[in-house]
Amino acid sequence: MSEQNPSRLWSAFRLILKARWLVIAVYAILLGPAAYFALKVPQDNSIDRLIVRDDPDYLASRDFAKVFGESEYVILLAEADDPYQPPVLRRIDDLEQRLRKLPRVSVNSALSIYRRAKAGFSATDPESADFKKFATGTQLFRKQGLVGDRFLSIALVLAVKDSSERQATLKLVEEVIADVEQHPAPLSRLRKVGQPIVNAYLDQDTQRAGMRYFPLFFLFVVVLNVGLYRSWQALVAFIITLAVCAAFTVGFVGLTNGVFTIVSSLVPMTILIVCTATLVYLHSRYVDRPPDRSVEDHQIFALCNKFLACTASIVASAVGFAALAVSKIRPIREMGIWVAVGLIITWVTVFTLFPALVRVLRCPTGNERQIAGVWFEKLVSRLPLFSYRYRYSLVFGSLLLCGVGAAALFGIPGVLPAMKLETAAIEYIPHDSDMYKNTKELEKLMGGLSITNVWLSGKPGMVSSAPVLRGLVDFQQRLDKEPEVGSATSLVTILSTLRYLSGAGDALPTDDAGLEALTDTLENQLGKEPLLQSFVEKTNVAQTHFAVVSKTQDFEEFQKLAQLLEQHWKASVAAHPALADFQMRPVGLAPLQAKISHHMVPTLVESFVLTVGIIFVSFLLVFRSGIARVMAMIPSFFAILVMFLFMRSIGVFLNVATILIATTVLGTSENDQIHFFYHFQEGKKDNASTEVALRHTLLISGKAIFFATLINAGGFLAFAFSTLPPIRQFGILSSVSFVLSMIADFTALPASLWLLYRSKPDALLQPEQPALPPKA
């Protein structure tokens, strides 16, 4: 392939280089809209963003929200040695009054209930004493976590619909409570916990992530270019190409109304890393120019020579990430699709914009400027014989470690449990933060913070009938006695509270006349009492719910809780047939969180198997070697499974970020094996020996593989500076995996090829010289 005998590919690249200024102009024009849409991408880490929209539990939760409203909860703990002292109550009351004035904020506390019942509160000594008697004279408030030893809590109900409303509302709350947090006296301290606070923290941290990751990656690219190519022109070409790929990818997310979550910061970084690795493959071939070839001809030759391998590797990566579309976890599905699209954009950009920039900037080749890496050539010259000598140990040792890693991930029945899953958002923030510690302390105090709503749907008017009410009281009592339930709040709780406020005690009547009077109270108060409206659908009085608080986090725990709820409900229905017409269904955050946990391992297995299958078929079509393809996957399998073994040994669990490592490493590290095999087949032409082919491969692609691994590992290592544990773990473990994959590329992969081709080093293949006859 040359100027005298051009192929279509050669002609296409020659045309791109001739129209280089037009190519650059087109990208410059498109960059503006891409940046505009990229800046429009919002951030939202709420739990319902983690589940796909067509999931039955997600749809049920949305239907529930349409009936009873969509709210998020923040708990303020006002702590004092004696929370009923007048100065303490005065400070708490003043805080509640200011919070009540905020938009989208409702306040619920023992003090607010008392104030509403008594038409006011002034924290005088007599009123403070009366409030203490009121708050401690029943177990209702303690069960709901509103009062306790040395604290009174304030429940804030936030009527927010999205991340922007959450951020704005929490900002207003922060402004009100800031003075009390900094100067709590006469309180000992004021603490705040709640899912909205965790979500807001994740939103803010992931938005700030780019300010940490991208400067580090930019510095890494600068060092790489200076150290490897020693050319400012190459550096400029790299940076412009990377910026365009990242902007176009995130712009696509904004154009399709995408929303970033905790794992979304991985999208632009993954694109940047794959793009940089591809640029290193291309430019390393470009700088390796023979003295007798012109720069223009050699640039076209380099593009044609690396086109198939780079295309196959990018397509393999894109397919690998697209396989995440099978996931039921929404951010993972979206990330897979976004990265796959971004990689296609990257493929187009590196074969159009980058060559145009290289020509315009007149990037030097190795003849004009000595590049780094001479030491590497000396190293790789020894690898073929090393891999032959230890071929059995390298191959079978790698396979053994793969097996141990698989056991660490999936477990051994009856011997070792599978790797633990983490889905609770609180586990995604730093464990040494006050937010984490406060949440864990409150979780112990209240018997959990996971909320499951037991949604009861019946016929119009059913909820206000005396037989149904008697059955609901029975169900409430069963839940109160259940050890797995921290607390349960329902219509029964609200009616008990209203009865207690009237001075009749907190026990509901059990006789027919008393229950009929109670239903009259319900019907009369439903239109004007907000507490009742939050638990009874007021239009048809056909639906109600029980808010069950527990320590449920993973799928197995929720399944156990759901079975207990089902058992107690069936027992209540058997004792009170009036409940039989209700449809009972658990909905809310706890079922969604359990569903996410349930889908994590299938996401890992399905996407991984799909990625392996498609990459195998792609390699078979391109290189026509099925057995070799299996051998070539040893480095990736070795890296991934040993990484899981490492995770298990240091106590790191699977979560929404670490679940992505397998697909990320497989889709990215396969690039190295594709380039390796491309040049190995190139070296095997004319029936060359395995040793000659390996030396050719390691000299041509080995240096690029080494520096591409540095890019992959160094790029993902930037995530190690994240304050969020899952992202930090993802960065460190991915970097470790890439290094492991590279080690296997240079050891286990050549060793497997020695075994596959049943070859020996050339020195051992030389015919023995015949012995000379002895002298006379």
Side-chain angles (χ1 to χ4, degrees), residues 230-242:
R230 300 170 182 175
S231 165
W232 68 265
Q233 297 101 318
L235 174 61
V236 172
F238 267 61
I239 290 176
I240 293 176
T241 305
L242 291 170

Side-chain angles (χ1 to χ4, degrees), residues 690-724:
T690 299
E691 181 180 351
V692 170
L694 283 175
R695 290 188 184 279
H696 171 80
T697 301
L698 292 169
L699 285 173
I700 298 299
S701 66
K703 186 187 299 182
I705 289 173
F706 176 78
F707 285 105
T709 299
L710 287 184
I711 293 165
N712 292 335
F716 280 104
L717 195 60
F719 290 115
F721 294 92
S722 173
T723 60
L724 304 179

Side-chain angles (χ1 to χ4, degrees), residues 307-313 315-316 614-626 629 673-675 677-678 681:
F307 180 79
L308 179 61
C310 287
T311 299
S313 64
V315 169
I614 295 177
I615 290 177
F616 178 85
V617 172
S618 300
F619 193 96
L620 193 61
L621 293 174
V622 174
F623 298 112
R624 313 283 184 181
S625 178
R629 171 68 284 186
Q673 283 98 60
I674 287 175
H675 285 275
F677 261 83
Y678 177 80
Q681 287 195 330

Side-chain angles (χ1 to χ4, degrees), residues 362-379:
R362 298 184 178 181
C363 295
T365 65
N367 291 314
E368 293 86 33
R369 186 168 302 167
Q370 181 66 40
I371 64 172
V374 176
W375 62 269
F376 186 82
E377 295 178 3
K378 297 179 180 178
L379 173 65

Side-chain angles (χ1 to χ4, degrees), residues 407-426:
L409 173 62
F410 298 110
I412 302 174
V415 178
L416 182 70
M419 191 175 290
K420 183 179 177 182
L421 306 173
E422 279 185 347
T423 56
I426 188 62

Side-chain angles (χ1 to χ4, degrees), residues 78-94 111 121-133 135-136 148-152 184-188:
E79 301 179 47
D81 290 337
D82 185 357
Y84 300 103
Q85 286 292 319
V88 174
L89 292 175
R90 195 174 297 116
R91 190 77 191 272
I92 295 174
D93 186 54
D94 175 69
L111 187 57
F121 178 74
S122 57
T124 61
D125 287 351
E127 287 190 348
S128 297
D130 190 52
F131 171 70
K132 180 177 181 180
K133 182 180 179 181
T136 58
D149 297 334
R150 299 186 179 87
F151 77 86
L152 295 174
L187 300 174
S188 58

